[in-house]
Amino acid sequence: MGTYLVALTARSSWRIGAFAALGVASADGLYAAVAAGAGSVLAPLLVPVVEPLRWASVVVLVGLAVMGAVRAVRRYRERRIVTLQQEMPIGAWTAYFGMLGMTMLNPWTVIYFAALVLGGSEIAGVAERIVFVVAAFVASASWQLLLAGGGALLGRLLTGPTGRLVTALASSAVIVVLAVRIVA
């Protein structure tokens, strides 16, 4: 998720990256709420669906990598023929809901929050559960926004057509490698 977020922000804008970052953080917050509320009940039910979720994540990540690479090559070729134009690959809300959905599909996010609740002691009171959920959201949001900021800086450094092509292809390759590692 982080690699895609940095690449998306580098190709677009800080605003779009921030929306995407908050989409990831929202998914983490939702999973934290589920883990705090029903982690011990849901953990045994997750075991049979981990493998299908893992493969769904691989398919989504490889699809994103291929689409990103194809789009980057197409933009690079078009700029050689037509005048250079600034474009936003996606809108802010599309970035938010896209990253929310991708993070919700990530089996490691589900497993992480379920294991966090199960591995430690049960979160006893309602106040402790609320603090856990808010802390998980704030921690995730701060990290994702930091990644988006890095992507924005990277985008400013590599704003030329060749720089954008190289970073888009490199990020697509990294995404494919990470997707393969999910099943390896």
Side-chain angles (χ1 to χ4, degrees), residues 73-119:
V73 169
R74 193 175 295 143
R75 277 195 312 263
Y76 180 77
R77 287 182 179 162
E78 288 172 358
R79 287 203 169 107
R80 292 215 171 221
I81 299 169
V82 227
T83 61
L84 185 66
Q85 58 188 4
Q86 185 69 356
E87 64 179 77
M88 293 293 159
I90 60 174
W93 285 106
T94 304
Y96 174 85
F97 287 112
M99 289 301 279
L100 174 70
M102 284 189 293
T103 306
M104 296 292 285
L105 274 176
N106 186 348
W108 298 115
T109 306
V110 178
I111 293 166
Y112 172 75
F113 283 110
L116 189 61
V117 170
L118 292 174

Side-chain angles (χ1 to χ4, degrees), residues 133-157:
V133 172
V134 170
F137 174 79
V138 169
S140 178
S142 62
W143 174 247
Q144 301 304 327
L145 288 168
L146 181 67
L147 290 176
L153 288 173
L154 181 64
R156 290 209 172 133
L157 293 174

Side-chain angles (χ1 to χ4, degrees), residues 8-89:
L8 172 67
T9 309
R11 300 193 304 271
S12 58
S13 69
W14 161 248
R15 180 176 179 268
I16 289 174
F19 269 74
L22 292 174
V24 174
S26 295
D28 289 344
L30 287 170
Y31 276 131
V34 169
S40 58
V41 174
L42 292 177
L45 302 173
L46 293 176
V47 174
V49 296
V50 168
E51 194 64 26
L53 280 176
R54 186 178 302 169
W55 281 103
S57 296
V58 169
V59 169
V60 169
L61 288 171
V62 169
L64 285 170
V66 169
M67 286 177 13
V70 167
R71 207 175 299 135
V73 169
R74 193 175 295 143
R75 277 195 312 263
Y76 180 77
R77 287 182 179 162
E78 288 172 358
R79 287 203 169 107
R80 292 215 171 221
I81 299 169
V82 227
T83 61
L84 185 66
Q85 58 188 4
Q86 185 69 356
E87 64 179 77
M88 293 293 159

